[in-house]
Amino acid sequence: VTSLIGADASYSPEELFIECLCKLITTIGSTLESTDAGKQLLTHFSSRMKELKAQDKYSKRIKFALQDVLDLRQNDWRQKVHKE
């Protein structure tokens, strides 16, 4: 994951890498959350994702994708269900 988004704020990954991160964390996030080491990693990744979301260089689509993953974690990895 660190190779996708970098470890610190000095690295600005391409949007494609951020998209890959969002898909990956959406897929494995609940499994990672089940261990103490995984929780620490997710906390680190979440703070990095918040940093990326705050940067003006990324499109709204990427910012919303990051926010969706952050919301998913906050909602205990349960997807939002939109009823019509």
Side-chain angles (χ1 to χ4, degrees):
V1 171
T2 304
S3 63
L4 287 174
I5 60 170
D8 58 36
S10 65
Y11 176 68
S12 294
E14 294 180 33
E15 288 191 354
L16 174 64
F17 295 142
I18 297 173
E19 256 185 288
C20 292
L21 168 80
C22 291
K23 291 288 186 187
L24 179 64
I25 297 297
T26 298
T27 303
I28 66 170
S30 63
T31 304
L32 278 177
E33 195 84 55
S34 66
T35 65
D36 289 336
K39 282 182 187 178
Q40 289 177 350
L41 284 172
L42 281 172
T43 300
H44 173 70
F45 298 152
S46 293
S47 65
R48 180 69 175 124
M49 290 169 72
K50 289 175 186 173
E51 290 173 3
L52 293 172
K53 192 180 83 150
Q55 293 182 11
D56 289 333
K57 73 175 269 178
Y58 297 113
S59 67
K60 288 190 183 283
R61 184 176 65 82
I62 292 300
K63 290 181 181 185
F64 281 119
L66 288 166
Q67 187 60 51
D68 286 345
V69 175
L70 294 169
D71 290 346
L72 190 61
R73 182 177 186 209
Q74 188 175 5
N75 197 29
D76 295 325
W77 303 102
R78 290 186 302 255
Q79 295 280 346
K80 292 179 184 176
V81 177
H82 298 284
K83 297 180 181 178
E84 291 185 27

